[in-house]
PDB file of all heavy atoms in Angstrom:
ATOM      1  N   SER A  30     -12.046   3.210 -19.200  1.00  0.00           N
ATOM      2  CA  SER A  30     -12.491   1.898 -19.562  1.00  0.00           C
ATOM      3  C   SER A  30     -11.589   1.030 -20.333  1.00  0.00           C
ATOM      4  O   SER A  30     -11.565  -0.223 -20.343  1.00  0.00           O
ATOM      5  CB  SER A  30     -13.870   2.030 -20.266  1.00  0.00           C
ATOM      6  OG  SER A  30     -13.764   2.864 -21.322  1.00  0.00           O
ATOM      7  N   PHE A  31     -10.730   1.726 -21.169  1.00  0.00           N
ATOM      8  CA  PHE A  31      -9.815   1.012 -22.035  1.00  0.00           C
ATOM      9  C   PHE A  31      -8.594   0.497 -21.283  1.00  0.00           C
ATOM     10  O   PHE A  31      -7.754  -0.239 -21.854  1.00  0.00           O
ATOM     11  CB  PHE A  31      -9.344   1.877 -23.241  1.00  0.00           C
ATOM     12  CG  PHE A  31     -10.389   2.361 -24.124  1.00  0.00           C
ATOM     13  CD1 PHE A  31     -10.874   3.646 -23.954  1.00  0.00           C
ATOM     14  CD2 PHE A  31     -11.001   1.578 -25.038  1.00  0.00           C
ATOM     15  CE1 PHE A  31     -11.928   4.167 -24.763  1.00  0.00           C
ATOM     16  CE2 PHE A  31     -12.083   1.970 -25.839  1.00  0.00           C
ATOM     17  CZ  PHE A  31     -12.538   3.280 -25.679  1.00  0.00           C
ATOM     18  N   ALA A  32      -8.458   0.859 -20.037  1.00  0.00           N
ATOM     19  CA  ALA A  32      -7.299   0.532 -19.293  1.00  0.00           C
ATOM     20  C   ALA A  32      -7.532  -0.355 -17.984  1.00  0.00           C
ATOM     21  O   ALA A  32      -6.560  -0.799 -17.351  1.00  0.00           O
ATOM     22  CB  ALA A  32      -6.543   1.821 -18.887  1.00  0.00           C
ATOM     23  N   THR A  33      -8.831  -0.483 -17.625  1.00  0.00           N
ATOM     24  CA  THR A  33      -9.141  -1.262 -16.386  1.00  0.00           C
ATOM     25  C   THR A  33      -8.611  -2.600 -16.387  1.00  0.00           C
ATOM     26  O   THR A  33      -8.425  -3.177 -17.488  1.00  0.00           O
ATOM     27  CB  THR A  33     -10.700  -1.176 -16.192  1.00  0.00           C
ATOM     28  OG1 THR A  33     -11.309  -1.779 -17.241  1.00  0.00           O
ATOM     29  CG2 THR A  33     -11.154   0.180 -15.877  1.00  0.00           C
ATOM     30  N   PRO A  34      -8.481  -3.293 -15.248  1.00  0.00           N
ATOM     31  CA  PRO A  34      -7.995  -4.628 -15.188  1.00  0.00           C
ATOM     32  C   PRO A  34      -8.803  -5.624 -16.036  1.00  0.00           C
ATOM     33  O   PRO A  34      -8.258  -6.660 -16.453  1.00  0.00           O
ATOM     34  CB  PRO A  34      -7.973  -4.972 -13.724  1.00  0.00           C
ATOM     35  CG  PRO A  34      -7.798  -3.665 -12.982  1.00  0.00           C
ATOM     36  CD  PRO A  34      -8.535  -2.692 -13.910  1.00  0.00           C
ATOM     37  N   GLN A  35     -10.125  -5.256 -16.276  1.00  0.00           N
ATOM     38  CA  GLN A  35     -10.903  -6.189 -16.980  1.00  0.00           C
ATOM     39  C   GLN A  35     -10.443  -6.391 -18.403  1.00  0.00           C
ATOM     40  O   GLN A  35     -10.648  -7.402 -19.166  1.00  0.00           O
ATOM     41  CB  GLN A  35     -12.355  -5.730 -16.998  1.00  0.00           C
ATOM     42  CG  GLN A  35     -13.116  -5.764 -15.647  1.00  0.00           C
ATOM     43  CD  GLN A  35     -12.674  -4.846 -14.721  1.00  0.00           C
ATOM     44  OE1 GLN A  35     -12.036  -3.757 -15.076  1.00  0.00           O
ATOM     45  NE2 GLN A  35     -13.088  -4.986 -13.442  1.00  0.00           N
ATOM     46  N   ASN A  36      -9.704  -5.359 -18.948  1.00  0.00           N
ATOM     47  CA  ASN A  36      -9.107  -5.482 -20.307  1.00  0.00           C
ATOM     48  C   ASN A  36      -8.025  -6.560 -20.302  1.00  0.00           C
ATOM     49  O   ASN A  36      -8.164  -7.514 -21.034  1.00  0.00           O
ATOM     50  CB  ASN A  36      -8.587  -4.109 -20.766  1.00  0.00           C
ATOM     51  CG  ASN A  36      -9.641  -3.066 -21.101  1.00  0.00           C
ATOM     52  OD1 ASN A  36     -10.177  -3.063 -22.192  1.00  0.00           O
ATOM     53  ND2 ASN A  36      -9.912  -2.240 -20.038  1.00  0.00           N
ATOM     54  N   GLY A  37      -7.047  -6.404 -19.577  1.00  0.00           N
ATOM     55  CA  GLY A  37      -5.958  -7.358 -19.429  1.00  0.00           C
ATOM     56  C   GLY A  37      -4.688  -6.975 -20.014  1.00  0.00           C
ATOM     57  O   GLY A  37      -3.681  -7.629 -19.746  1.00  0.00           O
ATOM     58  N   TRP A  38      -4.605  -6.135 -21.012  1.00  0.00           N
ATOM     59  CA  TRP A  38      -3.396  -5.902 -21.719  1.00  0.00           C
ATOM     60  C   TRP A  38      -2.262  -5.419 -20.811  1.00  0.00           C
ATOM     61  O   TRP A  38      -1.102  -5.850 -20.964  1.00  0.00           O
ATOM     62  CB  TRP A  38      -3.601  -4.791 -22.877  1.00  0.00           C
ATOM     63  CG  TRP A  38      -3.912  -3.428 -22.467  1.00  0.00           C
ATOM     64  CD1 TRP A  38      -5.158  -2.941 -22.353  1.00  0.00           C
ATOM     65  CD2 TRP A  38      -3.049  -2.413 -22.064  1.00  0.00           C
ATOM     66  NE1 TRP A  38      -5.070  -1.694 -21.986  1.00  0.00           N
ATOM     67  CE2 TRP A  38      -3.921  -1.327 -21.783  1.00  0.00           C
ATOM     68  CE3 TRP A  38      -1.654  -2.362 -21.942  1.00  0.00           C
ATOM     69  CZ2 TRP A  38      -3.359  -0.105 -21.347  1.00  0.00           C
ATOM     70  CZ3 TRP A  38      -1.123  -1.101 -21.554  1.00  0.00           C
ATOM     71  CH2 TRP A  38      -1.964   0.008 -21.225  1.00  0.00           C
ATOM     72  N   PHE A  39      -2.635  -4.562 -19.868  1.00  0.00           N
ATOM     73  CA  PHE A  39      -1.602  -3.976 -19.041  1.00  0.00           C
ATOM     74  C   PHE A  39      -0.960  -5.075 -18.155  1.00  0.00           C
ATOM     75  O   PHE A  39       0.298  -5.152 -17.920  1.00  0.00           O
ATOM     76  CB  PHE A  39      -2.098  -2.852 -18.138  1.00  0.00           C
ATOM     77  CG  PHE A  39      -1.098  -2.242 -17.266  1.00  0.00           C
ATOM     78  CD1 PHE A  39      -0.034  -1.522 -17.710  1.00  0.00           C
ATOM     79  CD2 PHE A  39      -1.283  -2.284 -15.851  1.00  0.00           C
ATOM     80  CE1 PHE A  39       0.857  -0.960 -16.828  1.00  0.00           C
ATOM     81  CE2 PHE A  39      -0.342  -1.708 -14.997  1.00  0.00           C
ATOM     82  CZ  PHE A  39       0.743  -1.020 -15.459  1.00  0.00           C
ATOM     83  N   GLU A  40      -1.844  -5.879 -17.526  1.00  0.00           N
ATOM     84  CA  GLU A  40      -1.309  -6.882 -16.658  1.00  0.00           C
ATOM     85  C   GLU A  40      -0.564  -7.980 -17.405  1.00  0.00           C
ATOM     86  O   GLU A  40       0.433  -8.507 -16.972  1.00  0.00           O
ATOM     87  CB  GLU A  40      -2.533  -7.559 -15.874  1.00  0.00           C
ATOM     88  CG  GLU A  40      -3.163  -6.632 -14.836  1.00  0.00           C
ATOM     89  CD  GLU A  40      -3.922  -5.595 -15.326  1.00  0.00           C
ATOM     90  OE1 GLU A  40      -4.293  -5.535 -16.592  1.00  0.00           O
ATOM     91  OE2 GLU A  40      -4.214  -4.576 -14.614  1.00  0.00           O
ATOM     92  N   ALA A  41      -1.033  -8.314 -18.670  1.00  0.00           N
ATOM     93  CA  ALA A  41      -0.347  -9.275 -19.519  1.00  0.00           C
ATOM     94  C   ALA A  41       1.044  -8.723 -19.925  1.00  0.00           C
ATOM     95  O   ALA A  41       2.037  -9.505 -19.902  1.00  0.00           O
ATOM     96  CB  ALA A  41      -1.162  -9.593 -20.711  1.00  0.00           C
ATOM     97  N   ALA A  42       1.099  -7.424 -20.255  1.00  0.00           N
ATOM     98  CA  ALA A  42       2.326  -6.884 -20.588  1.00  0.00           C
ATOM     99  C   ALA A  42       3.394  -6.868 -19.450  1.00  0.00           C
ATOM    100  O   ALA A  42       4.584  -7.187 -19.576  1.00  0.00           O
ATOM    101  CB  ALA A  42       2.172  -5.410 -21.035  1.00  0.00           C
ATOM    102  N   CYS A  43       2.849  -6.476 -18.325  1.00  0.00           N
ATOM    103  CA  CYS A  43       3.746  -6.510 -17.139  1.00  0.00           C
ATOM    104  C   CYS A  43       4.295  -7.928 -16.834  1.00  0.00           C
ATOM    105  O   CYS A  43       5.354  -8.121 -16.305  1.00  0.00           O
ATOM    106  CB  CYS A  43       3.050  -5.911 -15.887  1.00  0.00           C
ATOM    107  SG  CYS A  43       2.754  -4.132 -16.015  1.00  0.00           S
ATOM    108  N   GLY A  44       3.351  -8.982 -17.081  1.00  0.00           N
ATOM    109  CA  GLY A  44       3.802 -10.315 -16.962  1.00  0.00           C
ATOM    110  C   GLY A  44       4.874 -10.744 -17.963  1.00  0.00           C
ATOM    111  O   GLY A  44       5.912 -11.373 -17.582  1.00  0.00           O
ATOM    112  N   LEU A  45       4.765 -10.157 -19.115  1.00  0.00           N
ATOM    113  CA  LEU A  45       5.848 -10.467 -20.231  1.00  0.00           C
ATOM    114  C   LEU A  45       7.191  -9.826 -19.723  1.00  0.00           C
ATOM    115  O   LEU A  45       8.219 -10.317 -20.008  1.00  0.00           O
ATOM    116  CB  LEU A  45       5.396  -9.866 -21.515  1.00  0.00           C
ATOM    117  CG  LEU A  45       4.283 -10.581 -22.184  1.00  0.00           C
ATOM    118  CD1 LEU A  45       3.860  -9.760 -23.426  1.00  0.00           C
ATOM    119  CD2 LEU A  45       4.632 -12.025 -22.647  1.00  0.00           C
ATOM    120  N   LEU A  46       7.049  -8.561 -19.044  1.00  0.00           N
ATOM    121  CA  LEU A  46       8.325  -7.815 -18.728  1.00  0.00           C
ATOM    122  C   LEU A  46       8.834  -8.251 -17.309  1.00  0.00           C
ATOM    123  O   LEU A  46       9.935  -7.845 -16.953  1.00  0.00           O
ATOM    124  CB  LEU A  46       7.899  -6.337 -18.765  1.00  0.00           C
ATOM    125  CG  LEU A  46       7.459  -5.792 -20.083  1.00  0.00           C
ATOM    126  CD1 LEU A  46       6.766  -4.413 -19.838  1.00  0.00           C
ATOM    127  CD2 LEU A  46       8.685  -5.606 -20.927  1.00  0.00           C
ATOM    128  N   GLY A  47       8.023  -8.945 -16.603  1.00  0.00           N
ATOM    129  CA  GLY A  47       8.432  -9.242 -15.257  1.00  0.00           C
ATOM    130  C   GLY A  47       8.414  -8.180 -14.296  1.00  0.00           C
ATOM    131  O   GLY A  47       9.267  -7.990 -13.332  1.00  0.00           O
ATOM    132  N   VAL A  48       7.433  -7.231 -14.434  1.00  0.00           N
ATOM    133  CA  VAL A  48       7.260  -6.050 -13.568  1.00  0.00           C
ATOM    134  C   VAL A  48       5.958  -6.099 -12.861  1.00  0.00           C
ATOM    135  O   VAL A  48       5.073  -6.836 -13.186  1.00  0.00           O
ATOM    136  CB  VAL A  48       7.396  -4.739 -14.378  1.00  0.00           C
ATOM    137  CG1 VAL A  48       8.750  -4.625 -15.166  1.00  0.00           C
ATOM    138  CG2 VAL A  48       6.166  -4.567 -15.275  1.00  0.00           C
ATOM    139  N   THR A  49       5.828  -5.299 -11.884  1.00  0.00           N
ATOM    140  CA  THR A  49       4.650  -5.281 -11.005  1.00  0.00           C
ATOM    141  C   THR A  49       3.762  -4.275 -11.472  1.00  0.00           C
ATOM    142  O   THR A  49       4.002  -3.072 -11.647  1.00  0.00           O
ATOM    143  CB  THR A  49       4.971  -5.052  -9.576  1.00  0.00           C
ATOM    144  OG1 THR A  49       5.894  -6.007  -9.016  1.00  0.00           O
ATOM    145  CG2 THR A  49       3.729  -4.992  -8.666  1.00  0.00           C
ATOM    146  N   PRO A  50       2.451  -4.759 -11.898  1.00  0.00           N
ATOM    147  CA  PRO A  50       1.504  -3.788 -12.329  1.00  0.00           C
ATOM    148  C   PRO A  50       0.716  -3.098 -11.224  1.00  0.00           C
ATOM    149  O   PRO A  50       0.250  -3.798 -10.313  1.00  0.00           O
ATOM    150  CB  PRO A  50       0.425  -4.581 -13.214  1.00  0.00           C
ATOM    151  CG  PRO A  50       0.594  -5.935 -12.558  1.00  0.00           C
ATOM    152  CD  PRO A  50       1.943  -6.106 -12.022  1.00  0.00           C
ATOM    153  N   LEU A  51       0.536  -1.807 -11.233  1.00  0.00           N
ATOM    154  CA  LEU A  51      -0.315  -1.147 -10.295  1.00  0.00           C
ATOM    155  C   LEU A  51      -1.360  -0.310 -11.066  1.00  0.00           C
ATOM    156  O   LEU A  51      -1.082   0.748 -11.546  1.00  0.00           O
ATOM    157  CB  LEU A  51       0.595  -0.105  -9.444  1.00  0.00           C
ATOM    158  CG  LEU A  51      -0.094   0.574  -8.267  1.00  0.00           C
ATOM    159  CD1 LEU A  51      -0.455  -0.500  -7.202  1.00  0.00           C
ATOM    160  CD2 LEU A  51       0.957   1.496  -7.580  1.00  0.00           C
ATOM    161  N   ASN A  52      -2.540  -0.925 -11.248  1.00  0.00           N
ATOM    162  CA  ASN A  52      -3.606  -0.487 -12.191  1.00  0.00           C
ATOM    163  C   ASN A  52      -4.565   0.362 -11.334  1.00  0.00           C
ATOM    164  O   ASN A  52      -5.338  -0.159 -10.580  1.00  0.00           O
ATOM    165  CB  ASN A  52      -4.233  -1.662 -12.825  1.00  0.00           C
ATOM    166  CG  ASN A  52      -5.041  -1.131 -14.021  1.00  0.00           C
ATOM    167  OD1 ASN A  52      -5.616   0.032 -14.083  1.00  0.00           O
ATOM    168  ND2 ASN A  52      -5.237  -1.947 -15.062  1.00  0.00           N
ATOM    169  N   ARG A  53      -4.586   1.748 -11.621  1.00  0.00           N
ATOM    170  CA  ARG A  53      -5.519   2.638 -10.986  1.00  0.00           C
ATOM    171  C   ARG A  53      -6.569   3.152 -12.056  1.00  0.00           C
ATOM    172  O   ARG A  53      -7.262   4.145 -11.673  1.00  0.00           O
ATOM    173  CB  ARG A  53      -4.721   3.747 -10.343  1.00  0.00           C
ATOM    174  CG  ARG A  53      -3.819   3.331  -9.203  1.00  0.00           C
ATOM    175  CD  ARG A  53      -4.596   3.100  -7.923  1.00  0.00           C
ATOM    176  NE  ARG A  53      -3.879   2.231  -6.962  1.00  0.00           N
ATOM    177  CZ  ARG A  53      -2.851   2.634  -6.164  1.00  0.00           C
ATOM    178  NH1 ARG A  53      -2.449   3.913  -6.225  1.00  0.00           N
ATOM    179  NH2 ARG A  53      -2.410   1.792  -5.365  1.00  0.00           N
TER     180      ARG A  53
END
């Protein structure tokens, strides 16, 4: 639950880095 796309930190971080997020 702390990592799902609803959180947003992973996707936001990947946006900062310019990388593609694959959230499972």
Side-chain angles (χ1 to χ4, degrees):
S30 56
F31 300 101
T33 58
Q35 288 78 13
N36 289 275
W38 65 264
F39 180 65
E40 289 71 19
C43 288
L45 292 172
L46 296 165
V48 306
T49 300
L51 191 59
N52 194 332
R53 295 281 160 78

